Every structure is written in structure tokens, then in C-alpha cells.
Amino acid sequence: MLPISPFRFSNLGYMCAIDIVKLFSFMILLYKKNENGARNSGCVIIITMMKPYLINTHSHANMLKDTNIDEAMTNASNECILTVIPSSTCEDIFEVSDFITKYDNVYGYVGVYPEEAKNFTDKTLNDMEFLIKNNNKIIGIGEIGLDYYWDKSFNEVQKEVFIKQIEFANQMNLPINVHSRESHFDTLDLLRKYNKNSIAIMHCFSGSLEFAKECIKEGIYISLGGVVTFKNAVKAKEVASNIPLEYLLLETDDPYLAPVPFRGKENQPMYVKYVAQAIADLRGISVDNVAEQTTKNAERIFKFNAK
């Protein structure tokens, strides 16, 4: 038996399974080579080399065009990144359900994006319920919400569909992944009125620090993506620097909004590590601190263990 004190494993926290295998291989090697040496110190060095898990709470990896999807998902898994894929339309809820079954460390949401609200019917809810009951990798409802940026002619329809999906998420006891653009106060108002028991995530948060604080008062989590790496993203940087880390989540929203140094190119799931690093730099803490807390946050929301 290897002479390693149990407390040394407390540092493993959120380590990638691939790295844990490497860890034990190195421990055995060290034990064989250093029967009379400082074995424990060697193992401490190895533990500090391990990558912490990151949870990317919003990625459209199924929509990648310039990047090979299989390679992108393998890259993310090798980087110890767990990815959650939302649906957008009444039809692609089925595509997302199929997609997430193909890959390890990939989960999904089902829901209808606000711009698709006109196509939403009661059948859509029935289809969503069927998929949830038959695929345990579906862990939330999303992306749903309000978007007044392009077309304001059907805002009331968007609100009706958003309410129906909030109530459905409550019925299913699942978290909500929320899209909100040019509609922050209406979005928050509807969540306050209709959300009874689902944890909500403001995906790709674009509001002010003051609005973020209002969301957090309601128990809503703030998810930040590649925008936080942009030089002139004043609001995103202010939010990243100041909100409680216990309410922060990470995402990419790929294939859009690639972080620096890939801005202007196609985004992909593993680039969430650049988001984590940017937030760590802004807060003056280690990226491991950001990874550990945001992973704990996501695990609490989705009720799974990423280890």
C-alpha cells in the first residue's frame, strides 16, 4: 500500500478522471524509485499539476461549422471540461437529445429560444417532457427567455411562451437557462412572478453590475462568456470582478463570441478556460479558485457531481 496520508487527497477536489489515472501511475512510479525517499512531497507536486474540472454551462457545439465537432468535444473532455448544450427550436430539441448521448461529459437543456416563440405549441411541451423522461442527460430547460433586439412585434408572444416554459421547468423541477437581450427588466419581472422552484441562470449576461445584484437577490446565477475577455467590455468586467463568486458560472456560447486570443474566429467548448482565466485575473485570484467555485455552483444547480 502506498504510504500517502488521506488528507493529501483533499486537494484532488475537482480533478479530471484522466489526470487521476496519471496521478496514480506517477505515485506508483515514485514509490518504486524512492522507497527510502521523500515520497509524500513528490505526490504533492503531482497533485498541484492536476487540472480542475470546468463546467461550460452554455455551448452550441452541435452548431459548429469550421471546427470538427468530434475533435471539439474530445478537446474539451481532454481539458477536463464538462459541456451543457441548449436547444433553440421546437425541432432541435430532438437533435440536442441525440447529440448529448454521443459524448461523455456532455449534457443538455431542452427549450425554445424567444425568436422561435411563434412556433411554440402544446405539442412542444409534450415533446420536451418525453425527452426529459427518456434521457437522463437532459438537466435543464433552455435556452428560453425574451429578446427585443431584432423584432419587437411579437414581444407579448415571447412573454407567453417564456411563462409556459418557466411553469414547465417548475413542474419538472429543473433549472432554467435564460436568454435576455434588450429585455432585462421584463425578464426579471416574469421570473419573479412565475418562477416558484427552478434555479435560474442568466446566460451570457450583458447587464450592469446593479442589475446583476438584483438578479442575485432573487437567487439567480450569472453566467459569463468570452465577452469578459474583450478589451472594452466594461460592464462584463465590472460584473466579473464584483459579484459573489458563489453566484458565478462559466460558458462559451460557441460558436459565437470567441474569447481573446481567438476573437473573430469560431468559438468552441474548450475555450471556456480562457473565460475562467480572465475572471481570475480580474479578481486577483488563481484560475483554480475560479474553477473550483464555479464547478461547485454548477453542480449545486444541476444536482450532479463532475468528478
Side-chain angles (χ1 to χ4, degrees), residues 60-75:
H60 299 279
N62 57 318
M63 297 168 61
L64 291 172
K65 301 294 184 186
D66 301 333
T67 308
N68 180 279
I69 292 175
D70 288 340
E71 288 182 9
M73 303 320 296
T74 299
N75 290 341

Side-chain angles (χ1 to χ4, degrees), residues 146-173:
L146 303 174
D147 192 320
Y148 300 165
Y149 183 75
W150 294 110
D151 185 352
K152 297 179 176 62
S153 67
F154 65 111
N155 289 0
E156 293 306 311
V157 174
Q158 288 190 38
K159 290 178 184 178
E160 290 172 14
V161 171
F162 186 31
I163 292 167
K164 286 182 180 180
Q165 292 186 95
I166 292 170
E167 292 175 339
F168 176 73
N170 291 175
Q171 178 191 335
M172 295 289 102
N173 196 28

Side-chain angles (χ1 to χ4, degrees), residues 85-301:
I85 312 288
S87 66
S88 301
T89 71
C90 300
E91 293 76 30
D92 78 355
I93 58 175
F94 298 98
E95 178 189 332
V96 167
S97 181
D98 290 341
F99 183 87
I100 64 178
T101 61
K102 291 172 56 180
Y103 302 100
D104 294 331
N105 298 326
V106 180
Y107 293 80
Y109 309 99
V110 289
V112 176
Y113 186 75
E115 290 182 15
E116 296 288 328
K118 292 177 183 178
N119 300 317
F120 187 92
T121 66
D122 289 341
K123 180 181 181 302
T124 309
L125 284 182
N126 292 335
D127 290 342
M128 287 164 60
E129 183 172 0
F130 173 82
L131 291 171
I132 290 164
K133 289 181 175 178
N134 288 278
N135 187 346
N136 62 10
K137 294 186 79 179
I138 295 173
I139 57 174
I141 305 302
E143 69 185 277
I144 67 175
L146 303 174
D147 192 320
Y148 300 165
Y149 183 75
W150 294 110
D151 185 352
K152 297 179 176 62
S153 67
F154 65 111
N155 289 0
E156 293 306 311
V157 174
Q158 288 190 38
K159 290 178 184 178
E160 290 172 14
V161 171
F162 186 31
I163 292 167
K164 286 182 180 180
Q165 292 186 95
I166 292 170
E167 292 175 339
F168 176 73
N170 291 175
Q171 178 191 335
M172 295 289 102
N173 196 28
L174 288 174
I176 303 169
N177 188 266
V178 179
H179 173 103
S180 178
R181 184 161 56 166
E182 302 292 330
S183 58
H184 295 325
F185 292 102
D186 279 359
T187 300
L188 184 57
D189 183 55
L190 293 181
L191 286 169
R192 282 172 170 157
K193 287 180 179 177
Y194 296 97
N195 185 26
K196 305 304 181 186
N197 58 273
S198 293
I199 298 175
I201 301 165
M202 286 291 193
H203 130 74
C204 199
F205 187 81
S206 59
S208 66
L209 176 59
E210 290 71 26
F211 183 67
K213 289 178 178 178
E214 288 299 308
C215 291
I216 290 168
K217 285 180 186 176
E218 303 297 324
I220 298 169
Y221 287 75
I222 305 299
S223 184
L224 296 174
V227 172
V228 77
T229 70
F230 298 172
K231 182 178 179 180
N232 296 321
V234 176
K235 286 196 297 184
K237 291 179 186 294
E238 188 177 20
V239 169
S241 301
N242 290 285
I243 66 167
L245 200 55
E246 291 76 15
Y247 278 91
L248 186 62
L249 297 168
L250 307 175
E251 67 171 81
T252 48
D253 201 19
D254 57 271
Y256 319 107
L257 299 173
V260 174
F262 303 100
R263 188 174 183 182
K265 299 179 181 178
E266 187 171 69
N267 202 357
Q268 62 173 288
M270 77 169 187
Y271 291 169
V272 74
K273 64 184 181 180
Y274 295 96
V275 177
Q277 185 64 63
I279 292 170
D281 292 344
L282 286 165
R283 298 180 76 101
I285 60 177
S286 76
V287 71
D288 284 0
N289 289 152
V290 172
E292 182 174 353
Q293 187 59 57
T294 56
T295 294
K296 283 181 180 178
N297 298 343
E299 288 183 329
R300 187 182 309 118
I301 294 166

